[in-house]
């Protein structure tokens, strides 16, 4: 049967609207706003208190309405016994809105809903903490890991002048805008403070909107979105590493024939520095990867038993292209590049049942957006259960992530894309 192409417009639209989760935001302020242990939503007061007490800062950024990391955040905020004694040695600040984040000082993986900074009172960063992936929360972060990062930060604070030169790479060296509200698509949409008397959650900018806004700068200019923006804060798995969440930066597993294995890394190694930066956590490792070049080498200092070993990781072209389908910000990429579709790769058995070889594109439509510009695919005729076998002439095997990258780097806003699908055995 002759293939029937479906024309899919690749459009530009506004971000997803925040849901009404006002009670959670208000309850958080009620629980911690008057706390003696936490300075609430006031970084300047935290800095003043830290300088007066000569203590380091623990600054937590938390997106309250988001479910991810809620249990971990509760444990930290309510001072779990595992870290309670160390929290007393820090001035603890809790920031629950992204509206006025100083992006010249604070940058982390904005797909996270929990991120922590360990800092000197002059706001020099000792280390970052907090990571997120498609894995369960307990495989990425732990209170034991946070404790070890805090202990290391306290040692740095005690010997600050000696360690300060090694911290240069941990600091933000450039920012497109001073605050998130300066991004064109966010300008004028949010005030500086949360509206606790009105639409509370909607007045609170979510961290993921910062990453979306960064991508929209390129999209609005009809420029391809570069890899470092499409694939931010690469998970160590792109190197072939699975890190131990209970440690600072200890290798749990090394994948065969990976970048890490070729560099000589082994299970049990503790990466003490990467690119000259001391690592207090997996987040610190990701910070180095996020700022690494597209091709090049990274020097690593590794503690192996009682020995110190120097290794070099050789980064080939495309090294950072890991899976991003789990990221919250991928929903906006799906809007722009896939017309609101969410796609799953077919298994070998499903390919066989559909008479599709392992050398062909085979992505099943799991979800089709229903509203606004998330419904572009729906209006073009795409349906849940369809199998994409051609997209803009691309017929080779691709994951959803790879297809998103193709659309964001090869197609511009407003382009039309021919799509062929397999539906009920017919093209």
């Amino acid at each position: 049967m002759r293939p029937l192409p479906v024309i899919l417009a690749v459009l530009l639209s506004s971000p997803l609207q925040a849901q009404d989760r006002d009670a959670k935001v208000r309850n958080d302020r009620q629980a911690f706003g008057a706390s003696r242990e936490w300075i609430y939503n006031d970084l300047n007061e935290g800095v003043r208190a830290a300088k007066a007490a000569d203590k380091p800062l623990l600054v937590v950024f938390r997106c309250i309405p988001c479910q991810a990391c809620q249990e971990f955040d509760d444990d930290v905020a309510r001072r779990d016994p595992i870290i309670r004694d160390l929290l007393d040695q820090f001035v603890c600040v809790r920031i629950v809105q992204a509206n006025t984040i100083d992006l010249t000082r604070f940058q982390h993986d904005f797909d996270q809903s929990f991120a922590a900074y360990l800092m000197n009172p002059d706001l020099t960063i000792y280390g970052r903490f907090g990571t997120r992936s498609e894995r369960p929360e307990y495989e990425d972060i732990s209170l034991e890991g946070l404790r070890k990062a805090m202990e290391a930060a306290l040692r740095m604070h005690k010997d600050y002048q000696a360690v300060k030169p090694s911290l240069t790479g941990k600091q933000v060296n450039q920012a497109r805008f001073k605050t998130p509200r300066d991004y064109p698509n966010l300008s004028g949409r949010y005030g500086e403070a949360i509206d606790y008397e009105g639409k509370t959650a909607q007045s609170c900018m979510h961290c993921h909107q910062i990453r979306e806004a960064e991508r929209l700068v390129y999209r609005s200019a009809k420029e391809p979105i570069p890899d470092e923006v499409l694939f931010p804060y690469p998970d160590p798995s792109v190197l072939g590493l699975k890190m131990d969440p209970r440690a600072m930066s200890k290798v749990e597993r090394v994948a065969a024939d990976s970048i890490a294995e070729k560099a000589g890394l082994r299970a049990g190694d503790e990466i003490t520095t990467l690119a000259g930066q001391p690592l207090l956590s997996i987040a610190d490792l990701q910070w180095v990867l996020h700022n690494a070049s597209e091709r090049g080498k990274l020097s690593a200092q590794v503690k192996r038993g009682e020995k110190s070993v120097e290794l070099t990781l050789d980064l080939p072209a495309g090294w950072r292209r890991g899976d991003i389908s789990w990221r919250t910000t991928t929903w906006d990429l799906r809007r722009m590049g896939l017309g609101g579709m969410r796609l799953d790769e077919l298994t070998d058995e499903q390919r066989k049942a559909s008479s599709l070889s392992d050398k062909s594109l085979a992505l099943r439509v799991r979800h089709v957006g229903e509203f606004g510009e998330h419904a572009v695919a729906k209006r073009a005729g795409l349906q849940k259960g369809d199998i994409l076998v051609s997209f803009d002439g691309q017929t080779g095997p691709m994951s959803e992530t790879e297809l998103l990258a193709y659309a964001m780097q090869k197609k511009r806003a407003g382009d039309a894309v021919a799509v062929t699908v397999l539906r009920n055995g017919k093209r």
Side-chain angles (χ1 to χ4, degrees):
M1 178 175 287
R2 181 183 176 185
L4 300 176
V6 177
I7 302 302
L8 172 62
V10 183
L11 298 176
L12 182 70
S13 73
S14 58
L16 292 171
Q17 294 184 349
Q19 298 180 16
D20 185 7
R21 291 171 283 183
D22 298 351
K24 292 183 68 174
V25 181
R26 292 170 181 156
N27 290 343
D28 190 81
R29 184 178 69 160
Q30 184 177 355
F32 302 108
S35 169
R36 295 182 179 180
E37 288 84 18
W38 289 94
I39 294 174
Y40 198 78
N41 244 9
D42 192 340
L43 179 63
N44 290 333
E45 174 59 21
V47 169
R48 186 203 64 76
K51 288 179 177 179
D54 190 24
K55 290 182 176 181
L57 282 159
L58 172 66
V59 182
V60 169
F61 288 89
R62 169 63 178 153
C63 184
I64 300 301
C66 298
Q67 288 291 115
C69 295
Q70 180 175 324
E71 183 178 348
F72 186 85
D73 175 62
D74 287 344
D75 288 339
V76 173
R78 300 186 187 282
R79 302 168 65 84
D80 186 277
I82 292 175
I83 57 172
R84 184 177 298 158
D85 62 317
L86 294 185
L87 288 172
D88 291 336
Q89 300 180 55
F90 287 80
V91 170
C92 301
V93 181
R94 184 169 175 80
I95 307 295
V96 297
Q97 63 181 55
N99 305 39
T100 55
I101 292 178
D102 183 349
L103 297 175
T104 67
R105 291 191 178 274
F106 296 97
Q107 290 183 19
H108 54 269
D109 189 346
F110 291 120
D111 273 294
Q112 295 173 190
S113 59
F114 175 95
Y117 289 78
L118 303 157
M119 311 181 78
N120 186 274
D122 68 7
L123 296 183
T124 296
I125 297 170
Y126 293 137
R128 293 166 172 81
F129 183 88
T131 188
R132 187 179 169 193
S133 70
E134 77 283 357
R135 297 181 295 267
E137 179 180 313
Y138 64 85
E139 291 191 31
D140 286 329
I141 53 177
S142 73
L143 291 171
E144 292 83 1
L146 177 56
R147 181 179 180 87
K148 290 177 180 177
M150 293 170 72
E151 289 171 340
L154 287 168
R155 291 192 294 270
M156 287 181 170
H157 188 69
K158 187 176 181 180
D159 201 18
Y160 179 49
Q161 293 306 319
V163 302
K164 188 175 181 179
S166 70
L167 304 177
T168 301
K170 289 177 176 282
Q171 316 312 310
V172 176
N173 57 27
Q174 60 180 347
R176 188 185 294 272
F177 297 106
K178 171 72 172 177
T179 74
R181 298 191 308 131
D182 295 323
Y183 277 96
N185 78 303
L186 295 175
S187 178
R189 293 178 54 198
Y190 293 90
E192 292 188 0
I194 296 175
D195 178 9
Y196 285 101
E197 305 304 321
K199 294 182 178 180
T200 305
Q202 291 184 23
S203 70
C204 174
M205 188 188 297
H206 292 225
C207 284
H208 68 79
Q209 291 177 270
I210 302 172
R211 181 66 57 213
E212 292 168 351
E214 179 72 10
R215 289 169 176 158
L216 285 171
V217 169
Y218 293 92
R219 194 68 174 166
S220 299
K222 294 186 179 292
E223 297 176 358
I225 302 177
D227 271 12
E228 61 267 26
V229 180
L230 271 180
F231 300 91
Y233 297 89
D235 187 86
S237 61
V238 299
L239 304 178
L241 293 173
K242 170 66 174 70
M243 308 303 291
D244 183 352
R246 299 160 298 179
M248 291 196 296
S249 192
K250 185 176 182 180
V251 177
E252 192 172 278
R253 292 195 303 271
V254 180
D257 200 34
S258 63
I259 294 172
E261 186 186 60
K262 291 174 182 177
L265 279 162
R266 304 175 186 172
D269 285 350
E270 184 174 348
I271 308 173
T272 55
T273 70
L274 188 63
Q277 297 181 34
L279 303 186
L280 274 63
S281 70
I282 300 171
D284 275 355
L285 191 160
Q286 289 180 280
W287 171 256
V288 175
L289 295 181
H290 179 69
N291 290 285
S293 60
E294 286 308 294
R295 299 186 72 161
K297 298 181 184 296
L298 287 178
S299 60
Q301 193 80 26
V302 172
K303 182 179 179 183
R304 181 176 292 164
E306 299 302 317
K307 296 180 180 180
S308 180
V309 182
E310 292 185 6
L311 301 173
T312 301
L313 293 129
D314 193 355
L315 305 179
W319 66 269
R320 69 172 69 236
R321 290 188 157 221
D323 177 39
I324 60 170
S325 62
W326 61 270
R327 291 180 172 272
T328 302
T329 52
T330 308
W331 282 104
D332 203 43
L333 293 179
R334 293 184 181 108
R335 170 188 65 80
M336 292 187 287
L338 302 178
M341 290 187 292
R342 183 165 188 175
L343 307 172
D344 291 325
E345 292 183 69
L346 265 62
T347 64
D348 292 342
E349 293 76 13
Q350 290 169 337
R351 281 178 174 272
K352 185 176 180 180
S354 299
S355 299
L356 295 171
S357 75
D358 59 2
K359 296 182 180 180
S360 64
L361 180 65
L363 293 171
R364 189 185 302 277
V365 180
R366 184 203 303 188
H367 171 80
V368 181
E370 295 286 330
F371 305 104
E373 290 179 357
H374 285 269
V376 169
K378 178 184 177 181
R379 291 194 294 270
L382 277 296
Q383 298 177 12
K384 180 179 178 180
D386 284 347
I387 300 173
L388 271 65
V389 293
S390 176
F391 183 96
D392 193 46
Q394 303 301 303
T395 58
M398 282 187 181
S399 66
E400 183 193 52
T401 288
E402 290 168 332
L403 191 60
L404 282 170
Y406 174 86
M408 293 298 96
Q409 295 179 333
K410 302 297 184 182
K411 312 305 295 183
R412 296 180 178 180
D415 284 354
V417 173
V419 179
T420 303
V421 303
L422 187 65
R423 181 183 298 166
N424 299 324
K426 298 181 180 180
R427 289 177 181 260

